[in-house]
Amino acid sequence: MYRRARKVAASLTVAVLIVAGLAITALVRDEPPPPPVKKTAVADATGAGRATAAADDGRDGRGGRERDPFGASCRTTIEGSTVTAFCHNPYPGTDRLQLHVECARWWDVDSDGAPAEAGPARHVQLTGRCWKEVDSAWVSHARVEP
């Protein structure tokens, strides 16, 4: 008798947790998504960078007008525990760049570098490091409004 009551209580607990999880998921979905962050080069532990590109049709979503070109091109390298990103902005708008570093060890603190602005036709060098190995690194971009 006692064993059956425990099974029923466990089943009810699981059911309540599932329903609560679905309710929370529904609430989260109703919130607007955060603004997208453009990532350029992602370097992994082997040091080989791979380009990431989001599906982009070149339109701004407001009546189909073309957007202004934007975004510095960056090359990310990993040497040991140090990450360096070399970025060049060929466009007329200013790009705010930030280096993000994920460390391989669980106890090593991941870091987000200080934002740096790359003006038109400017080069920017961003650096970051871990105590031990680097797992991955990438550069995020944000448009600077005039």
Side-chain angles (χ1 to χ4, degrees):
M1 179 79 167
Y2 179 68
R3 188 175 287 174
R4 185 168 186 247
R6 285 181 55 189
K7 285 183 179 179
V8 170
S11 298
L12 287 175
T13 303
V14 169
V16 167
L17 290 174
I18 290 173
V19 170
L22 292 174
I24 290 172
T25 303
L27 290 173
V28 170
R29 284 187 184 165
D30 291 340
E31 293 183 16
V37 175
K38 179 182 173 189
K39 292 182 180 179
T40 55
V42 175
D44 54 13
T46 62
R50 63 182 190 274
T52 59
D56 192 4
D57 61 357
R59 302 190 184 274
D60 68 353
R62 291 179 271 154
R65 294 177 294 190
E66 293 292 323
R67 290 188 297 188
D68 294 332
F70 166 75
S73 61
C74 296
R75 180 174 47 92
T76 307
T77 60
I78 298 174
E79 294 178 8
S81 63
T82 305
V83 179
T84 306
F86 303 94
C87 300
H88 170 68
N89 183 12
Y91 300 114
T94 301
D95 189 3
R96 181 173 291 128
L97 306 167
Q98 188 173 12
L99 178 65
H100 307 276
V101 179
E102 286 188 4
C103 302
R105 306 290 177 123
W106 66 268
W107 48 262
D108 206 347
V109 179
D110 298 341
S111 65
D112 296 326
E117 292 187 359
R122 295 285 183 184
H123 293 273
V124 174
Q125 180 177 339
L126 305 168
T127 58
R129 67 181 309 267
C130 294
W131 282 100
K132 290 279 187 177
E133 300 88 14
V134 175
D135 186 35
S136 64
W138 67 92
V139 177
S140 62
H141 300 259
R143 189 181 297 264
V144 176
E145 299 299 326

